[in-house]
Amino acid sequence: MEKMKLKLLYTDLKSDIDIIEKELENALNSSSHLINDASLHLLQAGGKRIRPVFVLISAKFGNYDIDNIKNIAVPLELIHMASLVHDDVIDDSDLRRGRRTVKAQWNNRVAMYTGDFIFARALEYVTAIENKRVHQILAKTMVEICNGEVIQIEDKFRVDQNLKDYFRRIKRKTALLIESSCELGAVASGLDEKNIRHLRRYGYFVGMSYQIVDDILDFTASDKELGKPAGSDLLHGNITLPIFYLKDHPIIKQFIEKASTGKVVEEDRLAMLKVVRNSEAIKQSIALSNQYLRKALKEVEALPNHQMKKKLRDIALFIGKRKF
Amino acid sequence: MEKMKLKLLYTDLKSDIDIIEKELENALNSSSHLINDASLHLLQAGGKRIRPVFVLISAKFGNYDIDNIKNIAVPLELIHMASLVHDDVIDDSDLRRGRRTVKAQWNNRVAMYTGDFIFARALEYVTAIENKRVHQILAKTMVEICNGEVIQIEDKFRVDQNLKDYFRRIKRKTALLIESSCELGAVASGLDEKNIRHLRRYGYFVGMSYQIVDDILDFTASDKELGKPAGSDLLHGNITLPIFYLKDHPIIKQFIEKASTGKVVEEDRLAMLKVVRNSEAIKQSIALSNQYLRKALKEVEALPNHQMKKKLRDIALFIGKRKF
């Protein structure tokens, strides 16, 4: 449903997104039945394909050529898919958007290798691109994403962390890949440095907002909307934005302590959710997300006149308002 | 000790290998303490650095430039290191060459992410190379290695597999990366197609022999020499060459059955080792390894006169004779 709404935002890109979807299918074809099954499972789960969309839209500002651009959009989405498969191992998650994760459907090892395989496939696509800068941006992004995941492990259940730690994590977890999607679309279509920079920064700000909203929804959306129990982030020790405003609340403190030793029962989860949902923390978090969105919109303003500017604005606004 | 002997084979490459060792240290530097600790743990474990050596030697046949060649040797070794860290998760191995594995010292998740990080670092090095063919060979190698690891999971404890399955596995597990090391050294130093092919094939044959000897040693070397219990491969369900000659032996059949349900006791392991060690299977496996070595030596013969030809021969002979 929500995915549908987002898709309405880019109906005129549909034929090119279909090309990318087809390419993703090809990319995930393996000689191993196990990998094929796991990959099919991932493809069927769908996804908003928001990274490819950012690549396409950014590229529209320059010399748009789908045959060239797809070689950037496909590996970016593959890197995203691979990192999700590995994330579910890190977070021990059995469900993602209502579907069983690869780790749950098979096991941690299969998830590790399916992720590796998808990473490797991403690389294969990248080799088709004859642009050193593109390679460098992609490699740097991958290094930082991997780095970020380890920082995420290190920060788990750490109540003495500060907001800077949180921003560092969501930057690497989400913002970087969206930033790179916008930047790479712009670079590959031959945009000038000034506009590459605007699109890159737009991607970064939108990415930060996107993850903040995701982190809010993990508390405010229903289990059904999330396709997994609400509050899963905190249950797994991920201290997200709303919690920074509530770290001294006795029920939250107790919940984190119990979660860190795996002693949370359903009653605890519901009590924790009630505290977060009824607190000012949600509003404060939304305000912060909106700050990022405003910065993103400023970057859009600075871009030259183009029909895609409206699209960039609409997507930013959609991200700020989405309900799940 | 054994590592020392191999190093004697390439003393004249020592200063360049030191450069690569230094680069590996730099490459594994991360902003995460956890990754730094795990990487240091890996570096301290050392290794024969045989892949970089093959790159260097192959490059010597062309226009040798260490500043160029190191950008190929370093990522190849990094890919190898990353795959070892992930292998230990797959095989649930606590020891490798007498040292605790990352998975054992920390846990599966840290091992997964340390491996991912090292893979990503490998990529970063690759971007410094402006040669599309190099990128394509490296990416293809990585895809096949990942593919191979999944096939290895699928083939575990599968007694109905044939020798073709085994060769397919060891090709992807070991031979491909050595093949690519030789090929890439040759490509990057501007060798002609004929000699690239000889070096590539040399690498493939040596790689196949190398893994067969490894698989033999897993049965014939002592626990101390291996730095882990002898027979670990079969204990983890990896059906290696000697076992193909013994699949109908009642003790072996029973051992595989017990191993597949985790019911092996020390007595079973010793009984299994006795059967394998006293069988013809070891001799038959050595004969097969020697066939590959002869093919490798033939490729060396076809190369133009060069002092490095002796080195390629010596390494091939060393691999055939090594005791652990």
Side-chain angles (χ1 to χ4, degrees):
Chain A
M1 173 75 174
E2 200 70 2
K3 211 189 287 172
M4 288 291 290
K5 275 193 226 157
L6 184 63
K7 283 206 171 153
L8 282 177
L9 285 179
Y10 41 81
T11 40
D12 45 341
L13 295 170
K14 193 179 175 307
S15 65
D16 286 353
I17 293 170
D18 285 347
I19 289 173
I20 285 162
E21 198 70 34
K22 199 88 207 136
E23 287 282 330
L24 288 172
E25 265 176 55
N26 290 340
L28 295 181
N29 211 328
S30 152
S31 61
S32 152
H33 295 301
L34 196 54
I35 281 193
N36 272 341
D37 291 351
S39 299
L40 190 64
H41 183 83
L42 285 169
L43 276 176
Q44 283 169 346
K48 294 185 280 294
R49 308 290 183 239
I50 202 158
R51 289 146 200 90
V53 167
F54 280 129
V55 177
L56 298 185
I57 294 178
S58 298
K60 288 274 187 189
F61 286 87
N63 297 315
Y64 186 89
D65 171 8
I66 182 66
D67 286 330
N68 177 30
I69 292 302
K70 73 175 181 191
N71 290 322
I72 288 171
V74 169
L76 279 164
E77 185 68 9
L78 290 174
I79 291 170
H80 170 63
M81 288 173 84
S83 72
L84 292 186
V85 177
H86 280 189
D87 272 0
D88 291 333
V89 175
I90 295 291
D91 284 335
D92 203 15
S93 303
D94 289 337
L95 287 173
R96 181 177 283 277
R97 304 246 156 220
R99 277 178 75 87
R100 280 170 69 75
T101 57
V102 172
K103 163 220 125 50
Q105 186 78 16
W106 289 271
N107 59 47
N108 276 347
R109 293 170 193 198
V110 171
M112 189 180 87
Y113 265 93
T114 302
D116 282 3
F117 169 76
I118 301 174
F119 271 131
R121 279 291 200 222
L123 283 191
E124 239 184 359
Y125 270 82
V126 179
T127 58
I129 309 164
E130 303 206 42
N131 182 328
K132 196 175 165 182
R133 184 164 170 196
V134 171
H135 290 253
Q136 282 167 335
I137 295 168
L138 267 171
K140 202 164 169 38
T141 306
M142 277 186 70
V143 171
E144 288 304 316
I145 289 172
C146 292
N147 239 328
E149 293 291 350
V150 177
I151 294 169
Q152 196 170 326
I153 305 175
E154 291 185 321
D155 284 350
K156 271 194 183 193
F157 299 108
R158 244 192 64 211
V159 284
D160 63 335
Q161 61 185 284
N162 55 41
L163 265 180
K164 218 178 122 191
D165 294 315
Y166 170 73
F167 290 129
R168 186 177 67 154
R169 279 205 307 282
I170 66 170
K171 178 184 167 186
R172 285 170 165 164
K173 182 193 177 98
T174 305
L176 258 176
L177 200 54
I178 295 182
E179 173 184 326
S180 299
S181 299
C182 293
E183 183 179 13
L184 288 172
V187 167
S189 68
L191 244 68
D192 59 286
E193 288 307 320
K194 183 179 160 287
N195 288 312
I196 290 174
R197 185 164 176 271
H198 288 311
L199 283 163
R200 175 169 61 74
R201 286 168 59 91
Y202 165 84
Y204 169 72
F205 293 134
V206 160
M208 292 297 280
S209 168
Y210 187 88
Q211 188 56 48
I212 290 173
V213 172
D214 228 46
D215 291 343
I216 294 169
L217 290 174
D218 193 72
F219 292 107
T220 59
S222 67
D223 297 5
K224 202 182 154 204
E225 286 167 334
L226 291 166
K228 65 181 176 185
S232 287
D233 282 343
L234 195 57
L235 194 66
H236 291 125
N238 294 329
I239 317 276
T240 57
L241 188 54
I243 299 306
F244 283 91
Y245 303 112
L246 291 165
K247 276 203 301 202
D248 296 326
H249 193 293
I251 288 179
I252 300 298
K253 274 167 81 174
Q254 202 188 20
F255 183 87
I256 295 174
E257 211 180 292
K258 276 193 176 177
S260 72
T261 51
K263 283 182 187 139
V264 168
V265 295
E266 184 61 4
E267 208 186 334
D268 300 322
R269 186 177 72 93
L270 296 176
M272 177 275 285
L273 284 175
K274 204 172 161 188
V275 169
V276 180
R277 285 170 179 171
N278 294 334
S279 73
E280 288 296 299
I282 298 300
K283 273 184 213 154
Q284 289 168 297
S285 302
I286 292 172
L288 237 165
S289 156
N290 287 339
Q291 270 185 38
Y292 277 113
L293 287 179
R294 273 194 295 275
K295 287 184 182 181
L297 293 174
K298 253 191 179 167
E299 299 295 335
V300 177
E301 289 326 304
L303 285 166
N305 265 341
H306 196 290
Q307 55 170 357
M308 285 294 142
K309 282 177 76 167
K310 184 177 180 326
K311 234 165 245 312
L312 290 177
R313 266 191 298 264
D314 287 348
I315 293 180
L317 294 174
F318 169 84
I319 283 169
K321 279 190 289 191
R322 75 201 161 98
K323 292 283 171 291
F324 54 92
Chain B
M1 172 74 177
E2 200 70 2
K3 211 189 289 172
M4 288 292 290
K5 274 192 223 157
L6 185 62
K7 285 208 169 149
L8 282 178
L9 284 179
Y10 42 80
T11 40
D12 45 341
L13 296 170
K14 192 177 175 308
S15 65
D16 286 354
I17 293 169
D18 286 347
I19 290 174
I20 285 162
E21 199 69 34
K22 199 89 206 136
E23 288 281 331
L24 287 173
E25 265 176 56
N26 290 340
L28 295 181
N29 212 328
S30 152
S31 60
S32 152
H33 294 302
L34 196 53
I35 281 194
N36 271 341
D37 291 350
S39 299
L40 190 64
H41 182 84
L42 285 169
L43 276 176
Q44 283 170 346
K48 293 184 281 294
R49 308 289 183 237
I50 202 157
R51 287 146 201 90
V53 167
F54 280 128
V55 177
L56 298 184
I57 294 178
S58 297
K60 288 273 187 189
F61 285 87
N63 297 316
Y64 185 90
D65 171 8
I66 183 66
D67 287 330
N68 178 30
I69 292 301
K70 74 175 180 193
N71 290 322
I72 289 171
V74 169
L76 279 165
E77 186 67 9
L78 289 174
I79 292 170
H80 170 63
M81 288 172 84
S83 73
L84 290 188
V85 177
H86 281 189
D87 272 1
D88 291 332
V89 175
I90 295 290
D91 283 336
D92 203 15
S93 303
D94 290 336
L95 288 172
R96 181 177 283 277
R97 304 245 156 220
R99 276 180 78 86
R100 280 169 70 76
T101 58
V102 173
K103 163 220 126 49
Q105 186 78 19
W106 289 270
N107 58 48
N108 276 349
R109 293 170 194 198
V110 171
M112 190 180 87
Y113 265 94
T114 302
D116 282 3
F117 169 76
I118 300 175
F119 270 130
R121 279 291 200 223
L123 284 191
E124 238 184 0
Y125 269 81
V126 179
T127 59
I129 308 163
E130 303 206 42
N131 182 327
K132 197 175 166 182
R133 184 164 170 195
V134 170
H135 290 252
Q136 282 168 333
I137 294 169
L138 266 170
K140 203 163 170 37
T141 305
M142 277 185 70
V143 172
E144 288 304 317
I145 289 172
C146 293
N147 238 329
E149 293 294 349
V150 178
I151 294 168
Q152 196 170 325
I153 305 176
E154 292 186 319
D155 284 351
K156 272 196 182 191
F157 298 109
R158 242 192 66 212
V159 284
D160 63 335
Q161 62 186 281
N162 55 41
L163 264 180
K164 218 179 122 191
D165 294 314
Y166 170 74
F167 290 129
R168 187 176 68 154
R169 280 204 306 282
I170 67 170
K171 179 184 166 186
R172 286 171 164 162
K173 181 193 177 99
T174 304
L176 258 175
L177 200 55
I178 296 183
E179 174 184 326
S180 298
S181 299
C182 293
E183 184 179 11
L184 288 172
V187 168
S189 68
L191 243 67
D192 59 286
E193 289 306 321
K194 183 179 160 287
N195 287 314
I196 291 174
R197 186 164 177 270
H198 288 311
L199 283 162
R200 174 169 62 74
R201 287 168 59 90
Y202 166 84
Y204 169 73
F205 293 133
V206 161
M208 293 296 279
S209 168
Y210 187 87
Q211 188 56 48
I212 291 173
V213 171
D214 229 44
D215 292 343
I216 294 169
L217 289 173
D218 193 73
F219 292 107
T220 58
S222 67
D223 297 4
K224 201 181 153 202
E225 286 166 334
L226 291 167
K228 64 182 175 184
S232 287
D233 282 343
L234 195 56
L235 195 65
H236 291 124
N238 293 329
I239 316 276
T240 56
L241 188 54
I243 299 305
F244 283 90
Y245 302 113
L246 290 165
K247 276 205 299 205
D248 296 324
H249 193 291
I251 289 180
I252 300 300
K253 274 167 81 173
Q254 203 189 19
F255 183 86
I256 296 173
E257 213 181 291
K258 277 193 175 178
S260 71
T261 50
K263 285 182 187 140
V264 167
V265 295
E266 184 60 3
E267 207 186 335
D268 300 321
R269 187 178 72 93
L270 297 175
M272 176 274 285
L273 284 175
K274 204 172 162 189
V275 168
V276 180
R277 286 170 178 170
N278 294 332
S279 72
E280 288 296 299
I282 298 300
K283 271 186 212 154
Q284 288 168 300
S285 302
I286 292 172
L288 237 163
S289 156
N290 287 338
Q291 270 185 38
Y292 277 113
L293 286 179
R294 272 194 297 276
K295 286 184 181 179
L297 293 174
K298 251 188 178 168
E299 300 294 335
V300 177
E301 288 326 306
L303 285 165
N305 265 340
H306 196 290
Q307 55 170 357
M308 285 293 143
K309 283 177 76 167
K310 184 178 179 324
K311 234 166 247 310
L312 290 177
R313 266 190 298 262
D314 287 347
I315 293 180
L317 294 174
F318 169 83
I319 283 169
K321 278 190 290 189
R322 75 200 162 99
K323 291 285 171 289
F324 54 92

